[in-house]
Amino acid sequence: MEDNLTNRLQQVVTDLGDEENYPDFSDEEYESYLNNNEDEEEIVDISEEDMLKMLDAQENPFITCSRLFRADFDSIKLLNQDQVELFKKQGYLIINDFIPHDLQIKAFEQTRTLASTNMMQAAGSSKSDSDDPYRNNKARTDLTTWLHHNEQDGALGELMQRHFSLLGADLSTVIHLQKDWKDAEYQLAYYKGSQDTPGYYEKHRDAFPDDGSDASSHMSQRRVTAICYLNHNWSEKDGGQLRIWTNNGQQDIDPVGGRLLLFLSGAVDHQVLSTNKERVALTAWFS
Ligand SMILES: O=C(O)CCC(=O)C(=O)O
Ligand SMILES: [Fe+2]
């Protein structure tokens, strides 16, 4: 009896170890077997890049985002009608001398001080990873810090309180921002950048395409990116241009001090090219 049991057990073990006794599934049968035996709903882990590809294939993102512009609006103070038209048509707009030269110099020096006194963090550090889960710490080399317009002193405070708040008033007049929109998110960025170790920020988009309708608004918060450059005496050899991908191909924008660049966050891919010198920018996102 015992022998019998041992023999039978041995036979089972031998049969299990013998591949020829396994059911012979084709790949398709195996897939369907796995799917039928799945208890939990499969969570599709799609990358930001693939998600953008999928959304861009549904509709040109410049068209999606152009629906954010209001058909009629009241008076605006900083921008003029032609600039608004151009912004809508191109998906981006450059405004030179957005701020006075002395304010630009002071804001640059203030940023340098913040960077050298450890008040700014590597953009890919764990602290800011949670702000931007799609990026890893190799995507960009800058030091950053979030600024709050009513808590900031000095030139950077003035830049937000006076200049960006006027811009925000205009943008909320010409563009559909979210109903509870109050103020921009502000991020200050400092690239150390040298000939030996150039700074960079890889190609990316700041938001998913969004026309403000209920169907798409859950995916994105940011609608307009506004970048004010604070670099003085910028020259071609310093690099650090912002390459943008527009509806009409790519274009490189020099990060000239005092210059403001606006673009539709959900439509324009962009990349900071190698910068061989210190490079400072204050970015505001309007949602
Ligand atoms: O500094 C720039 O020109 C671009 C910055 C940027 O792309 C970002 O902070 O998302
Ligand atoms: Fe960006």
Side-chain angles (χ1 to χ4, degrees):
M1 169 89 172
E2 230 186 77
D3 260 354
N4 237 346
L5 187 62
T6 311
N7 282 346
R8 270 170 43 214
L9 272 175
Q10 225 152 26
Q11 189 57 46
V12 170
V13 171
T14 315
D15 286 348
L16 279 174
D18 183 351
E19 277 181 24
E20 280 172 18
N21 285 319
Y22 279 110
D24 204 3
F25 280 154
S26 69
D27 286 350
E28 288 79 356
E29 282 168 333
Y30 186 63
E31 279 298 318
S32 110
Y33 165 80
L34 284 183
N35 290 338
N36 289 336
N37 283 276
E38 210 102 326
D39 289 329
E40 287 172 24
E41 198 181 315
E42 198 182 350
I43 296 168
V44 181
D45 195 9
I46 182 167
S47 70
E48 180 187 34
E49 215 182 317
D50 288 344
M51 182 74 174
L52 282 172
K53 265 191 208 143
M54 210 177 80
L55 293 168
D56 290 356
Q58 280 169 18
E59 185 181 43
N60 177 333
F62 287 88
I63 294 178
T64 310
C65 295
S66 73
R67 288 195 292 272
L68 288 170
F69 286 83
R70 294 178 197 275
D72 318 289
F73 49 83
D74 298 336
S75 68
I76 40 178
K77 296 189 181 74
L78 192 129
L79 304 170
N80 61 46
Q81 187 80 33
D82 290 345
Q83 288 173 317
V84 175
E85 290 296 322
L86 198 58
F87 184 15
K88 183 176 177 182
K89 189 165 150 241
Q90 306 183 129
Y92 73 94
L93 182 71
I94 298 171
I95 301 174
N96 290 322
D97 303 316
F98 172 61
I99 53 169
H101 186 67
D102 62 329
L103 184 66
Q104 171 218 319
I105 304 288
K106 283 185 190 142
F108 180 90
E109 292 305 335
Q110 195 181 359
T111 307
R112 232 184 186 179
T113 305
L114 289 173
S116 65
T117 53
N118 293 329
M119 301 299 280
M120 301 180 78
Q121 301 87 35
S125 69
S126 53
K127 191 165 181 256
S128 42
D129 268 352
S130 60
D131 299 321
D132 212 343
Y134 297 110
R135 314 263 146 77
N136 63 34
N137 58 6
K138 294 203 190 71
R140 59 194 293 186
T141 64
D142 52 342
L143 298 175
T144 63
T145 189
W146 297 105
L147 299 183
H148 304 281
H149 79 285
N150 46 12
E151 290 168 16
Q152 183 62 48
D153 63 1
L156 291 167
E158 189 175 330
L159 180 48
M160 292 183 286
Q161 289 144 21
R162 188 188 296 249
H163 301 276
F164 272 103
S165 63
L166 266 180
L167 175 70
D170 275 7
L171 289 177
S172 64
T173 305
V174 302
I175 283 178
H176 289 281
L177 296 179
Q178 280 167 23
K179 280 189 210 75
D180 55 356
W181 183 81
K182 283 196 194 71
D183 196 34
E185 301 167 81
Y186 294 100
Q187 189 179 55
L188 185 64
Y190 172 88
Y191 293 81
K192 183 127 179 63
S194 65
Q195 293 278 359
D196 292 341
T197 323
Y200 61 86
Y201 190 162
E202 287 173 1
K203 184 179 175 183
H204 66 280
R205 207 178 298 173
D206 289 349
F208 293 118
D210 178 2
D211 65 3
S213 66
D214 286 348
S216 68
S217 61
H218 66 281
M219 292 189 295
S220 156
Q221 293 252 343
R222 293 168 173 178
R223 294 185 179 173
V224 176
T225 302
I227 307 173
C228 181
Y229 295 106
L230 301 174
N231 310 300
H232 42 117
N233 298 329
W234 182 90
S235 82
E236 193 85 38
K237 67 175 181 356
D238 299 328
Q241 293 88 350
L242 187 72
R243 176 162 292 171
I244 61 170
W245 280 262
T246 75
N247 226 356
N248 294 318
Q250 71 189 47
Q251 192 181 328
D252 293 345
I253 295 166
D254 301 334
V256 173
R259 171 172 282 176
L260 180 79
L261 169 68
L262 299 177
F263 58 81
L264 294 169
S265 312
V268 177
D269 285 336
H270 53 285
Q271 169 187 11
V272 177
L273 302 181
S274 290
T275 179
N276 310 315
K277 209 169 99 167
E278 287 176 306
R279 180 190 190 276
V280 176
L282 179 62
T283 299
W285 287 283
F286 297 86
S287 298

